[in-house]
Structure formats: C-alpha cells, structure tokens
Amino acid sequence: MAEIFQAASRKCLVVSVTVLRGENVTQGWWNDLADTPDPFVKLHLPQSPSGKRQTTVINNDNNPTWNETFQFYMDPELNNVMNVTLMEADYVYHDVIGRTKSIDLNNLEHDLDHEKDLVFNEKFPPS
C-alpha cells in the first residue's frame, strides 16, 4: 500500500544572533569568594526547528568574550520570542545566573542589524 504525503511551502526567515560578551558576571559575592564564574549563554527559540543553542563555557572569567553567532529558522506567521539565559557551568549541575530574558523577534525590521543589551542580575548592572 502506497502512502501519499503532501507538503506545503511556507515563508521562512533566517535570524542570526551574535552573543558578544558579558560584563561583571557574578553569582553574588559569597559564591564568587569560593569560585569565579564559568559562564555561558543559552538561547532558546521554541518555534524554531533547531531552536536550542548555547555558547561555549568560558572558565573562570567575570568578563567573558564569546563573539559567537548562531542562526535560527523562523516562521514569520508564528509568535517568535527568544529566551536568553546566562548560566554558570558546574561539574554536576549548571546554575542560572539572574533571570531569563525574553526578546520579541516579531516586530524587528528585516535585513537590519539590531543590538540589545541584557542585564541578568539587576543588583549588578554593567559598568
């Protein structure tokens, strides 16, 4: 018995996201006394087929530089919100630093570069 599949083409956008750097990354003064942060950034675009990416871990660095670019496929007809989380790498369990930030990608103009600074822990704003 033959199976018949039908496919429909839809418009798809490619979004490039570059994670540049972090400034004054801290887990709080008490935790920083015992261990300098090993930060990395997680990006999650739930509506994208390959929507989970992360930067490399930068060991023992309060001011990491990643300069890593990731591409995501985005359906312009869906609600596209990217969640960005600053993480601290540990051997057993990775800790979240601050709160996850959400970026609405729906209203960005196409074919333009957009820059967004995110503050994950408002107690320690960037200098």
Side-chain angles (χ1 to χ4, degrees):
M1 174 180 261
E3 294 186 43
I4 299 174
F5 295 96
Q6 185 175 17
S9 62
R10 290 174 54 177
K11 187 176 184 180
C12 178
L13 300 174
V14 177
V15 177
S16 293
V17 176
T18 301
V19 179
L20 295 174
R21 67 186 162 277
E23 294 179 12
N24 301 322
V25 175
T26 181
Q27 304 172 83
W29 71 272
W30 180 255
N31 289 330
D32 287 350
L33 285 176
D35 182 26
T36 303
D38 306 317
F40 67 99
V41 176
K42 287 174 46 175
L43 305 169
H44 184 210
L45 185 58
Q47 302 293 351
S48 179
S50 59
K52 289 186 178 182
R53 308 301 271 302
Q54 74 177 45
T55 64
T56 56
V57 174
I58 306 293
N59 291 314
N60 300 316
D61 198 337
N62 293 89
N63 298 295
T65 298
W66 289 284
N67 200 24
E68 295 181 35
T69 300
F70 305 94
Q71 290 189 332
F72 297 89
Y73 296 104
M74 188 172 90
D75 184 339
E77 296 178 18
L78 298 177
N79 184 25
N80 293 288
V81 176
M82 178 171 285
N83 298 311
V84 183
T85 307
L86 180 61
M87 302 292 295
E88 151 61 14
D90 284 326
Y91 292 108
V92 178
Y93 180 76
H94 301 314
D95 299 315
V96 175
I97 299 176
R99 297 183 182 168
T100 297
K101 299 296 180 176
S102 297
I103 302 172
D104 186 350
L105 304 178
N106 296 305
N107 298 320
L108 296 179
E109 290 185 55
H110 301 183
D111 300 319
L112 293 177
D113 290 340
H114 301 274
E115 189 171 311
K116 180 84 173 161
D117 292 331
L118 302 177
V119 177
F120 291 93
N121 192 340
E122 284 77 13
K123 293 179 185 176
F124 304 98
S127 54

